[in-house]
Amino acid sequence: MANNRHHPLLLAFLSAFFLAGSLVGSELTRSPLNPPATPSKELAVELLSLRDERFAKDYTVALIVPGEAKFKDITVSNAASVTYFGPEIENGKKKRQLLSETFLWNEEYGWFLYEFGERLSLTTVFIWSELKGEVEID
């Protein structure tokens, strides 16, 4: 008789447990810690044109391949290689050239491009970001 009294409670507990587990699982797929597999072609063009201070119409993305990027002693797991046609000015004429860039993703910037450079004799990191736009850190 004791088993019959606990059986509905056990069933309710297990149902709640599995329901909660499936809700948590669905939240994990939408978490900012799980980036999209690749940036969209539109986003890639937006970041390239922001970086190069050019019009979006100057770029055509040919393909985007997800993967990893290696930097010295670390491997970045959220990366994508973007191959695109972009503008090049040669002898005063605009030509198209085939180029490739590595886009990276993190929670702070979303998909982004970056370069090291100098501004006012200071080493600067330039970032062109999905979430923050153009950022300079020195």
Side-chain angles (χ1 to χ4, degrees):
M1 189 125 179
N3 280 342
N4 290 340
R5 189 175 69 207
H6 292 251
H7 182 68
L9 292 174
L10 181 60
L11 184 58
F13 172 76
L14 290 174
S15 297
F17 177 77
F18 286 115
L19 179 60
S22 66
L23 290 175
V24 170
S26 67
E27 284 301 311
L28 286 177
T29 60
R30 288 183 266 139
S31 165
L33 295 176
N34 293 324
T38 61
S40 67
K41 287 183 176 184
E42 294 79 15
L43 177 60
V45 166
E46 182 181 321
L47 294 178
L48 290 166
S49 61
L50 179 65
R51 180 195 65 188
D52 297 343
E53 298 178 343
R54 295 230 175 240
F55 294 109
K57 67 179 180 158
D58 289 335
Y59 299 90
T60 303
V61 174
L63 62 112
I64 300 174
V65 179
E68 297 179 335
K70 295 184 187 286
F71 300 95
K72 295 185 182 180
D73 296 334
I74 66 166
T75 299
V76 178
S77 58
N78 300 318
S81 175
V82 177
T83 302
Y84 63 97
F85 290 97
E88 175 184 40
I89 305 299
E90 187 177 290
N91 298 326
K93 294 183 179 185
K94 186 167 46 170
K95 295 173 54 177
R96 290 169 49 96
Q97 60 182 339
L98 186 62
L99 302 162
S100 183
E101 293 288 342
T102 300
F103 284 61
L104 303 175
W105 184 94
N106 70 20
E107 191 172 339
E108 180 178 3
Y109 294 111
W111 286 106
F112 67 96
L113 292 167
Y114 77 97
E115 288 180 4
F116 299 112
E118 276 194 25
R119 185 175 303 281
L120 303 173
S121 300
L122 295 173
T123 300
T124 303
V125 179
F126 299 97
I127 300 171
W128 299 275
S129 160
E130 171 185 19
L131 301 177
K132 295 189 174 186
E134 187 169 352
V135 178
E136 290 182 31
I137 303 169
D138 49 27

